[in-house]
Amino acid sequence: VVMLQEILEFESPLPVEFSEASLQATLEVAIDHCLPVASEHTISLELVVSDDLPSFQLDSQALQQAWILLIEGAIRASAPT
């Protein structure tokens, strides 16, 4: 139910806010957000990115939301039942 609500919130039209930002930073925020859920399922998360990853024009908030939905979905799908 919570995941469905998060998906519906993500699909709500929001103004796009593009700016020069680090893809690594958006991933770090998403990973940090997902650590409690991963811990509950005894799953560890590790972010490994290239040292020379450039910045991009992106919507940090929207991308972080997308990463969080993907990561938490993967955690829930791979957790033992």
Side-chain angles (χ1 to χ4, degrees):
V1 174
V2 172
M3 189 171 182
L4 180 58
Q5 183 178 2
E6 290 173 349
I7 290 170
L8 292 174
E9 288 173 3
F10 180 73
E11 290 180 354
S12 300
L14 297 172
V16 178
E17 302 273 336
F18 285 104
S19 63
E20 185 84 12
S22 164
L23 184 58
Q24 180 174 348
T26 63
L27 283 164
E28 288 171 352
V29 169
I31 294 285
D32 287 345
H33 178 86
C34 295
L35 286 174
V37 175
S39 179
E40 288 175 16
H41 293 90
T42 61
I43 293 175
S44 63
L45 299 176
E46 179 182 3
L47 176 62
V48 179
V49 296
S50 174
D51 291 336
D52 60 353
L53 189 65
S55 293
F56 297 94
Q57 287 290 322
L58 52 89
D59 184 333
S60 296
Q61 291 295 102
L63 192 55
Q64 287 167 8
Q65 284 183 306
W67 287 126
I68 289 167
L69 288 173
L70 287 170
I71 295 165
E72 286 185 349
I75 290 167
R76 290 185 176 104
S78 62
T81 55

